[in-house]
Amino acid sequence: MDQKQAKISFPDLLREGGRSASAIEISGVAGSAQAAVLTRFYQAHRSPLLVVLPDSKTAQTFIQDLRFFAARVEMPLIYFPPYDLLPYKFISYHNEIAAGRIRALYKLLEAPRPPVVVTTVAGTMQRLIPKAEVTDFNELLMAGEEIDPEALLQKLSMGGYTRSMLVEEVGDFCMRGGILDLFCPLYDAPLRIEFFGDMVESLRFFSANTQRTQEQIDDAVILPARETLIKMGTLDQTLARIRAQAAELEVPVTQVRQVVSRIKEEGLFPGIDGLMPLMYDETDTLFDYLPSNTYMVPVEPAHIEAEAENLLDKAAEGYAQARAGQRLCVSPEALYLSTEELNGRLSAGKCIQVKQLPVQRREAAEMAPSACHLEIRTTDEVAQALKTQLRSETPFGPLVTWLHEQKAQGRVAVCACHSRAQADRLTALLANYDIRTASADG
């Protein structure tokens, strides 16, 4: 902890939030304790949070921890996944990831309550489809209302959907007679739309495995399947940007003609996602989708900065290889925020830095003028003692001693079990030691 930082207790942090300081450093927490602390903060303030973690693995673990601690908290939890490939691979991003991103962006635009958004360094650095494009594409279908089926089919093709014989994956669609099946990113199951002429006669969810109806609904929202959209009204401008980029990179004319021809004939095709910035006048970032009062929460800032630099190094390498191969591509600057831009966005408003160790560089002191240091102790010693006394006459002695110590210090001890049966068994065992428990499902 830097000497220039003002100390703040955790109760004060929960009571005052960030009103007294633009940025706060919370140290001494690691693993699941980080999710526990942020859950308490959200409960106290009900403010939107953007939690940034170094990579997908830590982000997924963090989400699991949040769900555990927020089991009884009304917390809209949104995961914004990063793409799993660099754009210079010239292959399509995975449908599930592309759909997950679109779903997350839509939920952010429509969130009725302050959300908690969890993402990675890559998720915050990647430039995105503009908000206006997501909003403009959205189509509300209602049973009993009319819509031009042919216009809807064309919209799906230009919105990243793939025509298939059978709708099984997110982003698929299929038209047979007056029945349109499609798998929209917003829903867990595909939709079956029955038309009578231009009228939507019925809307139903069906199983992708059995193709059988699951539930009939009155309305449904259709989102784009990907972030790269082709709009017929702005196709000429899009092609002009592609030609200008190709000329700047000295891409062979034959390759340019091939790309232009495929866009005109097919719309979207595998590999075009890497050219997403050329589809729009300008792009947005995840920060543009967030409410203005969002708390930025970088978890382990040093790791985040290192991961950001690593991502940009890989992007620069991929760009150089694409240029050397005379492939049509866009620069890393057009696809990602720089490290300086990322740091600027994370520190522009309210910021809570979460880290395990209160180690801070001098130049970072101004980034977090207030510091809250917590002491989180594990129960590893109790667990080890239980293993040691497993075959003794009092196998639960270490746990009983620990529970009495917590009670003597005025603390509430919570034992988390994997199942109700396990919880009942623990309750019965502790009763032998005259320890009364209260159960809570969550």
Side-chain angles (χ1 to χ4, degrees):
M1 188 182 302
D2 195 283
Q3 292 182 350
K4 297 180 180 179
Q5 292 177 305
K7 297 180 181 180
I8 181 172
S9 68
F10 190 59
D12 286 342
L13 176 63
L14 295 180
R15 184 167 49 252
E16 300 178 11
R19 289 193 293 268
S20 59
S22 59
I24 298 169
E25 173 191 298
I26 300 178
S27 61
V29 289
S32 59
Q34 296 173 336
V37 167
L38 290 179
T39 300
R40 290 286 305 278
F41 184 87
Y42 182 86
Q43 281 182 285
H45 298 282
R46 302 290 174 175
S47 296
L49 307 176
L50 173 66
V51 185
V52 185
L53 295 118
D55 53 54
S56 297
K57 184 178 180 180
T58 53
Q60 293 282 6
T61 301
F62 194 90
I63 288 174
Q64 293 176 2
D65 292 337
L66 273 180
R67 286 180 177 147
F68 174 81
F69 291 111
R72 296 190 171 188
V73 180
E74 291 188 4
M75 176 193 290
L77 183 57
I78 300 173
Y79 175 53
F80 184 71
Y83 284 128
D84 56 341
L85 297 170
L86 286 175
Y88 305 107
K89 296 292 185 180
F90 301 103
I91 56 179
S92 291
Y93 299 126
H94 195 281
N95 285 352
E96 289 289 344
I97 294 177
R101 289 167 65 91
I102 286 292
R103 180 169 56 249
L105 296 178
Y106 176 77
K107 287 184 176 181
L108 273 174
L109 294 175
E110 300 293 325
R113 297 187 300 276
V116 174
V117 185
V118 177
T119 189
T120 66
V121 173
T124 56
M125 295 184 73
Q126 291 160 349
R127 298 188 186 275
L128 313 178
I129 179 176
K131 288 193 301 182
E133 296 293 343
V134 176
T135 302
D136 291 346
F137 185 94
N138 295 347
E139 190 81 49
L140 176 62
L141 302 182
M142 302 181 66
E145 298 290 332
E146 291 190 352
I147 187 173
D148 183 353
E150 290 301 321
L152 179 58
L153 291 176
Q154 184 181 53
K155 187 171 189 177
L156 293 175
S157 295
M158 296 302 177
Y161 287 82
T162 302
R163 188 184 291 269
S164 61
M165 294 297 294
L166 199 63
V167 173
E168 297 177 302
E169 297 184 0
V170 179
D172 289 346
F173 80 97
C174 174
M175 186 75 174
R176 292 191 183 91
I179 298 178
L180 171 62
D181 290 349
L182 67 92
F183 206 147
C184 173
L186 185 58
Y187 304 112
D188 295 328
L191 281 166
R192 179 160 290 155
I193 306 164
E194 291 193 41
F195 289 96
F196 183 76
D198 288 351
M199 178 180 292
V200 177
E201 193 169 38
S202 68
L203 290 161
R204 292 174 290 170
F205 287 121
F206 67 93
S207 168
N209 294 324
T210 66
Q211 300 292 302
R212 293 181 178 177
T213 297
Q214 292 180 328
E215 177 187 1
Q216 187 153 338
I217 56 176
D218 295 325
D219 54 67
V221 176
I222 308 302
L223 305 181
R226 315 186 79 82
E227 292 176 66
T228 305
L229 308 182
I230 299 292
K231 298 178 67 175
M232 298 306 298
T234 59
L235 182 58
D236 290 340
Q237 295 94 312
T238 297
L239 297 179
R241 284 191 290 268
I242 289 174
R243 292 189 178 99
Q245 180 71 5
E248 182 180 339
L249 301 182
E250 299 181 349
V251 176
V253 175
T254 54
Q255 185 188 145
V256 181
R257 288 175 179 170
Q258 183 182 25
V259 171
V260 170
S261 176
R262 293 191 71 179
I263 290 176
K264 288 181 177 180
E265 296 175 6
E266 304 174 34
L268 302 177
F269 54 87
I272 199 174
D273 292 318
L275 303 178
M276 188 270 291
L278 299 179
M279 305 297 142
Y280 312 112
D281 292 330
E282 58 184 25
T283 54
D284 281 342
T285 67
L286 183 59
F287 297 99
D288 298 307
Y289 282 81
L290 300 172
S292 58
N293 63 332
T294 300
Y295 279 85
M296 305 299 164
V297 188
V299 179
E300 300 296 348
H303 296 170
I304 287 176
E305 187 170 341
E307 189 63 30
E309 293 174 353
N310 181 51
L311 173 63
L312 293 179
D313 286 343
K314 289 182 178 179
E317 181 180 351
Y319 180 59
Q321 292 175 353
R323 293 279 317 258
Q326 294 186 305
R327 302 290 299 272
L328 179 60
C329 57
V330 295
S331 68
E333 292 76 19
L335 292 163
Y336 301 99
L337 294 176
S338 67
T339 304
E340 292 74 18
E341 289 174 317
L342 175 63
N343 290 336
R345 292 296 190 102
L346 290 176
S347 60
K350 300 290 187 180
C351 178
I352 301 175
Q353 297 183 4
V354 180
K355 57 180 67 173
Q356 182 174 359
L357 300 175
V359 178
Q360 194 176 59
R361 297 167 300 177
R362 289 184 178 179
E363 59 269 25
E366 294 181 359
M367 296 287 291
S370 296
C372 175
H373 182 69
L374 302 176
E375 291 186 12
I376 306 294
R377 285 172 285 182
T378 69
T379 56
D380 291 344
E381 292 184 3
V382 179
Q384 185 59 42
L386 285 170
K387 291 180 180 179
T388 302
Q389 293 195 206
L390 187 60
R391 299 185 182 279
S392 69
E393 294 183 359
T394 56
F396 277 80
L399 177 59
V400 171
T401 300
W402 183 83
L403 289 173
H404 283 310
E405 290 175 351
Q406 306 316 306
K407 183 177 181 180
Q409 296 181 43
R411 296 171 181 157
V412 176
V414 179
C415 297
C417 300
H418 290 289
S419 64
R420 163 55 60 185
Q422 191 180 70
D424 292 341
R425 174 64 174 161
L426 180 60
T427 297
L429 289 170
L430 291 177
N432 294 329
Y433 295 88
D434 295 326
I435 293 181
R436 296 181 179 180
T437 63
S439 61
D441 294 320

